[in-house]
Amino acid sequence: MESEKRWHSETLLKLNEAETQLGQLNSSSADVDTANNDVSLLQEKLSSKNSEIAQLSAEKEELQQKLSEPNSNSDSLQEEVTELKGQSEESQIAEAASQSTDKKFTSI
């Protein structure tokens, strides 16, 4: 009888220890599940950020192309301004010559 009580006590003790270990394993399993969910969320955020980076890179490239285009436009505008200045100077010279000629005729 005494040995049965001892066996029963030892069995209960082992059963309690096994239940404690099982609880710890379940807790660890829950921690792993939580960590896996966190990793999934972080992967989604990373994917989203990578998409944003790709979009911003494309916009940057487009803006750089637009910035390089006005330089050629600027060059042609500069040529046009120079041409107009030349025409303006020519017309001023012609007008001055005309006025000079008019003065000569009025003084005669």
Side-chain angles (χ1 to χ4, degrees):
M1 183 93 166
E2 186 69 32
S3 65
E4 283 182 34
K5 285 184 181 180
R6 180 185 297 165
W7 178 85
H8 187 63
S9 293
E10 288 175 359
T11 303
L12 285 176
L13 183 61
K14 287 180 183 179
L15 182 59
N16 284 338
E17 288 175 5
E19 285 177 347
T20 301
Q21 288 178 350
L22 181 59
Q24 290 172 346
L25 287 174
N26 286 338
S27 176
S28 294
S29 177
D31 290 345
V32 168
D33 289 344
T34 300
N36 284 338
N37 288 338
D38 290 347
V39 167
S40 293
L41 289 173
L42 289 172
Q43 286 174 332
E44 288 175 20
K45 285 183 181 179
L46 179 61
S47 177
S48 174
K49 292 296 179 186
N50 283 338
S51 294
E52 285 181 42
I53 288 170
Q55 181 180 357
L56 289 172
S57 293
E59 289 177 15
K60 176 185 173 189
E61 183 66 29
E62 186 179 321
L63 289 172
Q64 285 176 332
Q65 287 177 351
K66 285 182 180 180
L67 281 174
S68 66
E69 289 172 5
N71 288 337
S72 61
N73 290 341
S74 174
D75 291 343
S76 64
L77 286 175
Q78 185 63 42
E79 290 171 7
E80 189 175 334
V81 166
T82 303
E83 184 180 326
L84 289 173
K85 281 183 180 178
Q87 290 175 359
S88 174
E89 289 174 359
E90 289 172 4
S91 67
Q92 286 176 355
I93 292 170
E95 187 177 327
S98 172
Q99 288 176 356
S100 173
T101 306
D102 287 348
K103 286 181 184 178
K104 287 181 183 176
F105 283 121
T106 53
S107 63
I108 295 180

